Amino acid sequence: MKVNKICCIGAGYVGGPTMAVIALKCPEIQITVVDVNKDKINSWNGPLDQLPVFEPGLDQVIKQVRGRNLFFSADIDNSIFDSQMIFMAVNTPTKTSGEGAGMAADLKYVEECAKKIAEVSRSDKIIVEKSTLPVRTAEKIKEIIYKHRSNDVNFDIISNPEFLAEGTAIEDLFKSDRVLIGGDESFSGQRAVSALVEIYSKWIPKEKILTTNIWSSELAKLASNAMLAQRISSINSLSALCEKTGANIEELSRAIGMDNRIGPEFLKASVGFGGSCFKKDILNLVYLSKYYGLDDVADYWLQVLKINDYQKDRFTKKIISSFKNIRDKKVLVLGWAFKANTGDSRDSAAIYVAYNLICSGARVYIYDPVVSKAQILSDLNFLFKEDNISDVQKTIFSEKLFIINSFECEINSSDAIAIITEWDEFRDFDWNKVTKKPLIFDGRGILKDFYYSIGK
Ligand code: UDX
Ligand code: ADP
């Protein structure tokens, strides 16, 4: 099938950048990105410095393709109706209620999409699963679609998981290590796979495009993220041992990573991994393993998350226990995003650290170059709500919480500084200018002169 019109449902961190790059590389294809959130669509159509996703290089790509062959629209039905290929890039958060709560992925948005596609479509469609989904979701999507479709419309569902990392999304999309496409073995399934292969072949070498069966593709996404997270938990667990023994975590990491079989990536000790994927995907893997009666496998992967919580906790306790009483001490939290070069704070270690400092009575000053004040407040409020913190208590805490627009002038009056995100401006800051030395807690190992740095 020759594809010349694509619809992408979901204009978030995955949908927006991915479609921008496909539009750039395939000018002959018209792509419309749709979303239920009209404000988001308006922002995508608005000024380039206020796009809803902060991602280095994204504005330049959008500048070239927006209005040429990339469009952002709230008209979901028409866009589905018009396209031959539909990407599903909606969010799949962890379920908060019902069976599998706290573990399994919530597929309600995916299911809504599937129903919508079935109801609106009057011609054959290729549906591409882009969101991270539990294994065998394609089967579920198929079931919903066949229940709601018009009789003579054929749907092929293929899986094409996204491996981009935030902060380097555009670079990752330009030069993917691999593109994975899973489809079923029927003639039309394979034809759908070929149609997507043809699109990626415009800029990805053929040998990097891997085609598999659909279940391998779905599981590969969960497994890749679990393996990456596992490396971070492994090095973070060793950082605790380094602190006890006098070994140096950076030296250890270099020594381990020089083994070709291990490699140097994802061995940087930190205050703990965050982001929208690692925790969610591991929980999903644990749930799946338990579902299939593989309790030992489930326990193994759960431990990766336990070490991550342990590391965040260890870091926070280190700060708190450095003072006889942390109450009313001024702590400057540097960085709110879960990593540098993104405005995303989902599951960021900063939320946990700041929340616990606030609850311990410290005066907490928070600075991030990109994350908005509204987002920081919403992240903290979520925890206040989860812990049933009373309004009175919340007001007391709020009086000691300051979200600031620059950090330099707060340094000398701080009692402690916690570096949570490895933004360049923290790395490049001239720390020698600091006159009264506050205690510096470096959760990223980016400073030479520090009071405490993970693993040293
Ligand atoms: C991850 C996967 O890398 C990507 O392939 C997948 O598509 C989505 O999930 P992302 O969450 O955007 O991407 O960022 P990533 O670079 O993987 O970092 C995740 C977390 O691990 C961050 O908090 C980061 O700071 C932390 N990290 C990473 C470490 O603590 N140490 C490291 O060595 C590497
Ligand atoms: P991700 O990081 O996976 O891209 P985001 O939350 O950034 O996740 O983006 C997912 C987007 O999908 C959101 O903007 C959300 O409004 C959108 N969305 C969710 N369900 C639907 C739906 N049924 N139809 C259209 N858009 C949807």
Side-chain angles (χ1 to χ4, degrees):
M1 187 198 278
K2 187 90 195 132
V3 175
N4 53 35
K5 277 193 180 162
I6 288 177
C7 164
C8 173
I9 309 181
Y13 285 94
V14 172
T18 309
M19 292 305 122
V21 169
I22 296 184
L24 184 73
K25 299 293 184 182
C26 306
E28 71 288 1
I29 302 180
Q30 182 184 313
I31 302 176
T32 308
V33 185
V34 296
D35 204 291
V36 278
N37 183 336
K38 292 199 171 77
D39 291 341
K40 208 175 245 188
I41 292 298
N42 289 339
S43 308
W44 278 111
N45 284 323
L48 287 172
D49 58 353
Q50 284 165 44
L51 296 175
V53 169
F54 174 84
E55 199 50 75
L58 176 63
D59 52 350
Q60 287 313 307
V61 179
I62 295 285
K63 192 174 163 189
Q64 294 177 65
V65 294
R66 196 172 59 183
R68 180 188 84 179
N69 63 327
L70 180 69
F71 302 89
F72 293 93
S73 163
D75 187 352
I76 301 178
D77 291 15
N78 260 321
S79 174
I80 293 174
F81 180 86
D82 250 6
S83 309
Q84 296 106 4
M85 184 178 270
I86 300 162
F87 284 76
M88 276 195 194
V90 297
N91 37 336
T92 50
T94 304
K95 270 178 110 168
T96 51
S97 60
E99 200 195 326
M103 289 223 154
D106 191 340
L107 295 181
K108 71 175 175 225
Y109 303 114
V110 171
E111 289 169 6
E112 273 167 24
C113 274
K115 188 160 172 265
K116 171 69 82 188
I117 294 170
E119 286 169 350
V120 170
S121 298
R122 294 291 176 271
S123 57
D124 295 353
K125 310 279 180 205
I126 296 170
I127 298 178
V128 185
E129 294 178 346
K130 201 67 181 151
S131 327
T132 304
L133 299 163
V135 189
R136 304 204 82 90
T137 303
E139 217 163 47
K140 184 136 194 187
I141 296 178
K142 208 170 200 162
E143 222 173 79
I144 296 173
I145 283 186
Y146 277 77
K147 195 167 142 201
H148 297 277
R149 67 167 182 163
S150 297
N151 278 337
D152 46 359
V153 179
N154 182 56
F155 293 92
D156 286 298
I157 298 157
I158 57 180
S159 156
N160 170 223
E162 191 48 78
F163 291 110
L164 63 81
E166 287 176 35
T168 52
I170 299 300
E171 208 180 305
D172 294 348
L173 285 160
F174 280 161
K175 280 190 179 175
S176 307
D177 285 349
R178 80 306 209 180
V179 166
L180 182 56
I181 304 173
D184 73 38
E185 270 133 40
S186 65
F187 173 73
S188 81
Q190 287 306 301
R191 201 178 44 181
V193 169
S194 302
L196 190 54
V197 169
E198 200 184 316
I199 291 174
Y200 281 111
S201 311
K202 293 276 158 56
W203 77 99
I204 304 286
K206 273 259 160 59
E207 62 277 13
K208 286 189 170 184
I209 304 178
L210 182 64
T211 56
T212 64
N213 81 32
I214 197 155
W215 320 124
S216 309
S217 172
E218 286 181 344
L219 185 57
K221 173 67 193 270
L222 295 186
S224 293
N225 276 347
M227 296 284 281
L228 289 170
Q230 177 267 118
R231 284 173 69 101
I232 302 170
S233 277
S234 296
I235 204 75
N236 280 346
S237 74
L238 291 167
S239 75
L241 195 58
C242 281
E243 285 171 33
K244 295 281 183 207
T245 56
N248 176 313
I249 193 64
E250 276 165 20
E251 291 173 357
L252 192 71
S253 174
R254 210 170 311 127
I256 299 168
M258 280 173 79
D259 185 326
N260 257 332
R261 294 166 301 176
I262 299 174
E265 302 291 333
F266 272 70
L267 286 182
K268 181 121 192 72
S270 68
V271 60
F273 60 74
S276 70
C277 287
F278 284 176
K279 183 172 178 190
K280 181 183 83 178
D281 290 354
I282 291 176
L283 284 173
N284 220 328
L285 197 59
V286 169
Y287 180 75
L288 263 175
S289 307
K290 276 192 192 296
Y291 176 84
Y292 287 107
L294 305 171
D295 287 356
D296 292 325
V297 179
D299 289 347
Y300 173 77
W301 289 110
L302 200 55
Q303 198 57 31
V304 172
L305 290 180
K306 284 190 182 161
I307 288 290
N308 201 47
D309 288 341
Y310 163 80
Q311 188 77 344
K312 288 186 272 189
D313 196 43
R314 208 166 72 78
F315 183 77
T316 315
K317 281 188 177 141
K318 200 81 170 183
I319 302 173
I320 294 173
S321 64
S322 296
F323 298 94
K324 222 194 259 151
N325 188 350
I326 195 151
R327 183 164 296 277
D328 289 326
K329 290 279 181 290
K330 175 171 176 175
V331 186
L332 183 57
V333 172
L334 294 184
W336 196 258
F338 79 97
K339 63 188 273 196
N341 298 321
T342 176
D344 193 353
S345 62
R346 285 177 290 182
D347 212 28
S348 175
I351 306 173
Y352 178 90
V353 175
Y355 178 74
N356 282 291
L357 288 169
I358 293 168
C359 293
S360 305
R363 287 184 294 132
V364 178
Y365 287 62
I366 299 168
Y367 170 76
D368 188 279
V370 173
V371 183
S372 69
K373 184 174 176 177
Q375 186 59 50
I376 296 174
L377 286 174
S378 140
D379 292 336
L380 287 169
N381 269 326
F382 181 77
L383 288 188
F384 284 137
K385 215 163 139 194
E386 231 184 25
D387 278 359
N388 282 324
I389 302 284
S390 71
D391 284 348
V392 178
Q393 194 62 48
K394 238 171 76 181
T395 313
I396 296 171
F397 289 152
S398 306
E399 281 164 5
K400 294 190 189 178
L401 173 67
F402 306 87
I403 299 166
I404 54 182
N405 294 326
S406 62
F407 68 97
E408 289 88 344
C409 53
E410 304 296 341
I411 285 182
N412 285 326
S413 58
S414 294
D415 296 296
I417 298 175
I419 300 175
I420 314 282
T421 314
E422 69 283 25
W423 286 105
D424 277 349
E425 60 184 284
F426 307 147
R427 198 190 297 274
D428 298 342
F429 180 74
D430 182 5
W431 292 92
N432 293 324
K433 280 200 310 218
V434 181
T435 48
K436 174 203 151 199
K437 272 235 147 67
L439 301 178
I440 298 175
F441 297 85
D442 182 3
R444 292 287 175 174
I446 60 172
L447 303 186
K448 284 194 192 77
D449 188 17
F450 49 80
Y451 166 73
Y452 169 77
S453 186
I454 286 281
K456 288 184 188 162

